[in-house]
Each structure stands twice: as structure tokens, then as C-alpha cells.
Amino acid sequence: MANRVEKRTDQEIPPIRDWQTMFEPPNAYRHSKLQKLEDALRTHVRPRMMLHFGYNQARVMALSNALVRVFGGTNPEFTIVSAGLVSNQAAMFSTRIIKKLIASFVGENYPAPSPNRIMQEAITSGAVEIDNQSLLAISQRLAAGAAGFPFALTRSLAGSSLGDNPNFRMIDDPFGGGATIGAASALVPDITFVHALAADLQGNLLMAPPFGEGEVAAFAASKGIVATAEKIVSPDTIRQFAHLMKIPAHRVLSVSEAPLGCHPYGLFSPPGLDVAGYVEDYEFFVELQQASKKPETFDAWAQEWILGLCDNDQYIDKLGAARVQALRGGATTGAWELELNSRVIQSAERAGHDSIDAMVVAAAHVVESKVNEHQYRIVASGVGYANLAAWLAVSNLQQQQGIPVELVAEIGLYGFFPKPGEPFIFSNRNIPTCKGLTSAETILGLYVGGRHNRCLAVIGAAQVDATGNINSTYSSDGKFLVGSGGANDIASAAAEVIVIAQQSKRRLVNTLPYVTSVGGKVSTLITDLGIYEKRGPRFVLSAYFSSEGQDVNAAVEKIRATCEWPLELAGNLQRIEAPTAESLFRIRLYDRRREFLTAVP
């Protein structure tokens, strides 16, 4: 008997009620990863782990404070991986929770770069072992770890003291091209720490641009990510700002709400996202750096601001509502203009100049000349005098000459136009002026280096030799300084490099105790006494500064007396013109507190 198919009328099919809800994504899930920060660390972190402090615009300061509270005094023997350890992270040294560092920069970088005495003594004495790396090399090694590759290829490290490392070697092109390339072993930490703008309860993280190491580095951790966030938000908010969702929930072990989690550093929050940004807390940095000069005063500071508090909520209460409001207010559009009162303007307009002013302006003129001569389209700079000179040069090239050359900064800033009042290279107020916000690997690996390299770099140096090799890692007496940061990456890959530094026999030396950056791409050295250019493998003095009434012979003898290597003179030695009032006005407004425009002993 044949099967019979019974037909049903529409009236007999039960209606599907509210069918639209079938296509709406849920806003709540069964499990939450939200934990109190200290509890999250107790749950997920174990002694002798390798812990990676994720590097981006949002520094993990609340998280490092909590790590000190939980593990200080327990001798956990952590290995810390970080592109930069700074500021109150010195408490990790004073409480002896670090056994080894894999780092590119260790010290103070705001408002000006300098060694931190607590960190410096721990490294110099050997209490903390350090594996000196460059910023990009760390990112590349983490990316290799994230991808499951045994090593990363890199242009950095080769020829420098950083390359004298069992985790780095030069290898031949396996495809027979004849080239050699640097290979650095993969880094696979146990846990990565990051701070986010916002997160949902499952741990999807909205990251603050620029993105620094970005999401790739965070994927390297074998166990996962312990995250803090300024604010816990709904999944709908995550979807609305999907372009900022760089780290997905399945890689996150826990998330903890930590407002002002970057303090004393600032945080940029993009328009439209209901998360308040804030600026750097200058007064807090000054107090902290003063306390860091002696172990006993730093210990008292750490007890007051970290160990003596229960959590980040108490930390914010201690800051006080007025201070927090001022920091948040400073991040609003146009807030920087309020700082430029008549006293600041009058100071910038003052007559006369000193040797540091003249050096910065002269360096800017060299940058302008080289951009015009070689058609560079990217200018990358280090901190200090270098970024003041680069900022002045690019503003002149764009505004006065109509040349589309762009500033970049290693953390991921492209095409920013610096505002006055804050010379910190990663200043919160400069981020909204960017034409692009990206990652450190994009800036250092592609814009500064890469196949289509059209980059002129301007960097500083603690010491430099006659061939342009640079040291910023160890002093001649063996003390640790600050390390490479991105300097080695820039010097290794940029098309051309300019170095700017004060002149003395301690700085212009015959032999470097440590080569942080190789000088092969360095063409020019500008000091507060003169300009040196490479003629062959070594520098020759091509131009000089002279004070009123000083003849060329007296100027040259002063330069000779403050240079350790044998001084060679160019045949057409030039006298450098005094800086214009407009150039002085601009750099003085950039650096209104004279953090950089002051001679350093």
C-alpha cells in the first residue's frame, strides 16, 4: 500500500511566536569571568611563572600594583616579559618578586627618560637578571609564540650587543637568495596581563588605540590572559565597537573592573565610547621619582600607595575626587589650550637662547633638509631632544612647505600633529590628531623599516662613538641605564638616522661599553656644540655653534676638548646660524616645563 502524505492547512500549523527574537544575539550568558583583581591573581598566577606585561597605550599599572600586594615578600621568582617597565612598577623590584627580566626598556619615560634608581640598582647588582631586547624584537618573538612558530625573523639586534644572545642568531636564506636574516626564538609566557578600555562579562576586550603589541602578542600566553578594564559593558557595546575588540573572550582567564587602571599614565578613549579618558598625572610622577632616589623613601612610598591599600578602589579614593576629575577633564577636547596662559606665552616669547635651544632647532633644520633632499615621507623619533626636533621639523615642512611628511611613534601613532604643553612622545593630547592608529609592529616593521622604507629617524643617545654606534643600556662604570626601547629597531631599519645628544667626553667616546644600536644607518650627529657628518665610516665636524665674540678657532678647541675621539674637520666648516624667534617659541611651547630643554649633567 502506498504511503500517504497528509496535507495540513495553514490554520493547522502552530504559529511561531515572536520569531524575530530567534535572530537577536543574546546579551547574557551562563558564566561570567568577572573577578576581583587580587582574587584573579591568586587563582591564576603561580610562583616561577613567566608573566608578560602587554604593551599598548593602556599600561597595566593597577594590575602590577595588585601583583605586588598579592606576591610581595613571598619570593615567587617570576620572569617578567615587558617592552617597558616604568614608574610604580619599581615596587616589583623593591618587594623582590622578579627573578629575571626580558625587556627593552626599564626606567622612567615620563616626563623625561631617565634611570629609575630602584630598578637600576636591582639590575646592576645582579639581584634581577636581565635579557636586554629591543621593543620590536619582543613583539616579533611573542608573535612567533602565538602562531606556534619556533622563531621569528627580524631586522633588529644584528651587530649590536643585544644580538650577543643565545636566543638570537643570523641564518642564511633557505631559498638560496644569498641574504642572511636575524632569527630570534619564540617567546611563550604563561600568562599575559593587559588593561582594556572595556570588557564584557565573558572577557571580550576593547583595547585602547594605539595598540602597541596588539592582539598577536597576547595570544602567545600558554594559559591565557588576566585582564583589567576601565568598565564592564554589555555585549551590544562590544559589537558597536568591534574594531577595538582585539582580544576575544576564549583567550581571557578573568577580567576585573579597574577604573583609572593606567594611572599615573593617561588613557585615550575614542569618541562615542562611554568610557572616560584621562591624562598623565604629572605631580604624581614627580613625587614618585623623588621617592625613588633612595630605597627607604621608595619603601615608604610603596607602603602608602600600594602595600597599605586593599585594592584599586582604595587607590582611587586616596587620589581623591578632585584629582580624578582634573585628570579626566584634561583629556577633553581642547583642554590643552587652558594651560597656555599669559605667563606660559611670555616665557616662550622671551629673548635669547641657550645651547640646548640652538641644538634642537639646528637638528630640526637638518631633518627638513634631508626630507627635501631624499623625499622621505616618514619621520620617526625617539624621546627627549629628538622628538622636539622632529616635531618642529615636520610642522614646518607641512605648514610652510606643503610637504606631506608624517610623524610616527613606535607604539602605533601615524600622522600625529603635536599639541603644545606636553612633550611626552605618547601624550594623550596627540592621539586625537593622528591620521592612523595601529600597532608597534606596523610602525617599526613597515613604516620605519620594510620593503617600502621612506623613513628618516631622529634618536637620542647616552653615548655615541665616532662611527655612530649608540649606547643607552650600560654606563662606562657598569651601571644599567634604561635599555633600547625602539631605538635598536629604528637604527637597524630606517633609511637614514640622525642622532642628537649633548656633548661631553662621557658621551662622545672612543669605545662604547655596550652597543645598543649599530651606527650603520647614522649619517649625522648634532650636539649642543656642533654638527658632525659621516665622511666615510667616521664623523667629521661640518658645522659649529659659537657664542658672541667667539672665533672659529676657540669654538673648535672647545669641541675638541669635549670629544674623546680624534676630531676631524670638514674642509668647508660652517658656522650655525642662531635659531629664529618663531622656532624657539614653538619648541618652548611643546616643552613648557623645560623637561627636555635643560642641560643634563
Side-chain angles (χ1 to χ4, degrees):
M1 181 176 177
N3 292 331
R4 295 175 59 188
V5 178
E6 294 187 6
K7 295 184 178 180
R8 300 175 62 185
T9 66
D10 289 346
Q11 288 77 10
E12 294 174 313
I13 299 174
I16 298 175
R17 303 292 183 186
D18 301 323
W19 63 267
Q20 293 91 338
T21 60
M22 295 173 61
F23 301 96
E24 292 180 2
N27 253 334
Y29 295 86
R30 183 177 301 173
H31 300 293
S32 167
K33 294 181 181 177
L34 184 65
Q35 277 187 283
K36 181 176 170 61
L37 179 53
E38 284 75 10
D39 292 341
L41 295 175
R42 293 185 185 99
T43 301
H44 301 294
V45 178
R46 295 289 178 267
R48 290 173 290 282
M49 275 187 168
M50 180 185 287
L51 305 175
H52 168 219
F53 283 72
Y55 177 72
N56 54 64
Q57 198 263 336
R59 293 184 179 268
V60 288
M61 308 313 276
L63 211 154
S64 63
N65 287 347
L67 194 71
V68 168
R69 291 190 198 101
V70 173
F71 289 98
T74 68
N75 192 31
E77 298 186 330
F78 292 135
T79 294
I80 303 295
V81 180
S82 177
L85 287 180
V86 289
S87 185
N88 46 297
Q89 291 172 332
M92 294 193 295
F93 294 75
S94 66
T95 57
R96 297 175 177 83
I97 69 174
I98 302 175
K99 180 180 181 180
K100 180 179 179 180
L101 280 175
I102 302 171
S104 73
F105 183 95
V106 184
E108 303 294 350
N109 70 343
Y110 180 92
S114 65
N116 176 286
R117 300 283 179 84
I118 305 301
M119 299 176 177
Q120 182 182 48
E121 177 55 32
I123 295 170
T124 302
S125 68
V128 172
E129 178 188 351
I130 187 166
D131 178 351
N132 289 297
Q133 296 284 310
S134 72
L135 188 153
L136 180 58
I138 287 178
S139 182
Q140 291 169 326
R141 293 179 66 191
L142 288 164
F149 298 147
F151 60 86
L153 300 181
T154 183
R155 291 187 179 87
S156 303
L157 309 183
S160 72
S161 298
L162 279 73
D164 185 16
N165 189 308
N167 294 306
F168 174 81
R169 63 194 61 181
M170 298 298 292
I171 61 174
D172 293 330
D173 178 355
F175 296 98
T180 58
I181 186 68
S185 64
L187 270 173
V188 183
D190 293 296
I191 287 176
T192 289
F193 298 141
V194 298
H195 183 68
L197 280 166
D200 63 16
L201 293 174
Q202 282 64 55
N204 294 296
L205 305 180
L206 299 183
M207 304 304 293
F211 301 111
E213 291 168 344
E215 67 268 41
V216 174
F219 270 72
S222 62
K223 299 185 183 303
I225 295 158
V226 172
T228 53
E230 291 287 318
K231 188 176 182 180
I232 301 300
V233 298
S234 71
D236 275 349
T237 301
I238 301 295
R239 295 184 189 98
Q240 184 181 354
F241 293 89
H243 57 291
L244 301 179
M245 206 297 293
K246 299 296 180 179
I247 300 175
H250 74 274
R251 290 300 303 144
V252 176
L253 298 170
S254 68
V255 62
S256 305
E257 193 168 49
L260 262 78
C262 304
H263 185 271
Y265 285 89
L267 177 73
F268 170 69
S269 183
L273 180 63
D274 186 22
V275 174
Y278 43 93
V279 294
E280 296 80 13
D281 191 338
Y282 177 80
E283 288 75 17
F284 193 95
F285 278 103
V286 171
E287 293 169 9
L288 171 54
Q289 289 166 23
Q290 185 66 31
S292 298
K293 291 182 178 180
K294 296 180 180 179
E296 55 271 25
T297 54
F298 183 79
D299 287 346
W301 182 92
Q303 182 62 40
E304 178 183 0
W305 281 99
I306 301 176
L307 295 168
L309 304 177
C310 293
D311 52 27
N312 191 61
D313 289 342
Q314 283 198 357
Y315 181 89
I316 295 173
D317 288 344
K318 185 172 175 59
L319 286 172
R323 188 173 197 166
V324 171
Q325 184 178 2
L327 294 173
R328 294 198 187 283
T332 57
T333 302
W336 59 269
E337 296 180 30
L338 301 177
E339 300 169 3
L340 304 183
N341 55 42
S342 59
R343 180 183 58 80
V344 173
I345 298 298
Q346 287 172 7
S347 177
E349 290 177 329
R350 68 186 181 277
H353 66 276
D354 62 19
S355 61
I356 303 301
D357 296 329
M359 173 180 68
V360 170
V361 174
H365 290 331
V366 172
V367 171
E368 292 177 53
S369 175
K370 288 185 176 293
V371 167
N372 277 303
E373 181 180 358
H374 299 290
Q375 301 297 298
Y376 294 124
R377 286 299 174 259
I378 297 293
V379 173
S381 74
V383 296
Y385 306 135
N387 68 287
L388 293 182
W391 290 4
L392 175 62
V394 170
S395 65
N396 286 342
L397 287 163
Q398 289 187 1
Q399 291 182 326
Q400 299 174 13
Q401 301 179 45
I403 295 175
V405 61
E406 302 290 1
L407 284 166
V408 299
E410 62 191 31
I411 199 172
L413 282 73
Y414 165 77
F416 65 100
F417 200 86
K419 298 299 183 185
E422 180 53 79
F424 182 45
I425 193 168
F426 308 130
S427 171
N428 197 315
R429 70 187 60 194
N430 292 336
I431 296 176
T433 73
C434 287
K435 294 176 180 175
L437 293 169
T438 182
S439 68
E441 190 151 1
T442 298
I443 294 297
L444 295 174
L446 299 181
Y447 292 10
V448 172
R451 181 181 299 276
H452 307 289
N453 178 358
R454 299 178 70 184
C455 175
L456 173 66
V458 193
I459 60 177
Q463 291 181 313
V464 60
D465 69 15
T467 65
N469 294 321
I470 293 167
N471 172 35
S472 61
T473 306
Y474 290 98
S475 64
S476 297
D477 60 2
K479 287 185 178 180
F480 180 79
L481 298 174
V482 294
S484 166
N488 176 282
D489 308 306
I490 291 170
S492 299
E496 184 175 354
V497 179
I498 295 167
V499 177
I500 177 169
Q502 274 185 258
Q503 181 158 336
S504 72
K505 279 194 171 182
R506 291 191 303 110
R507 296 180 182 275
L508 274 60
V509 297
N510 275 319
T511 304
L512 296 175
Y514 191 94
V515 179
T516 306
S517 306
V518 175
K521 302 291 187 70
V522 176
S523 67
T524 312
L525 167 67
I526 299 113
T527 77
D528 53 333
L529 297 180
I531 297 176
Y532 300 79
E533 297 180 44
K534 284 269 192 78
R535 305 285 172 86
R538 296 172 63 88
F539 288 125
V540 301
L541 183 72
S542 60
Y544 67 95
F545 296 102
S546 66
S547 55
E548 187 174 349
Q550 184 185 47
D551 65 18
V552 60
N553 293 326
V556 169
E557 285 311 305
K558 182 178 180 180
I559 293 170
R560 195 185 305 277
T562 51
C563 179
E564 194 175 77
W565 69 67
L567 186 68
E568 298 181 48
L569 305 181
N572 57 340
L573 189 64
Q574 302 291 314
R575 182 178 182 274
I576 302 168
E577 297 296 324
T580 65
E582 182 176 338
S583 293
L584 291 170
F585 180 74
R586 192 157 203 150
I587 63 171
R588 288 167 179 171
L589 283 189
Y590 286 146
D591 187 12
R592 65 182 177 87
R593 296 185 297 259
R594 294 191 69 80
E595 299 294 344
F596 302 148
L597 295 175
T598 301
V600 178

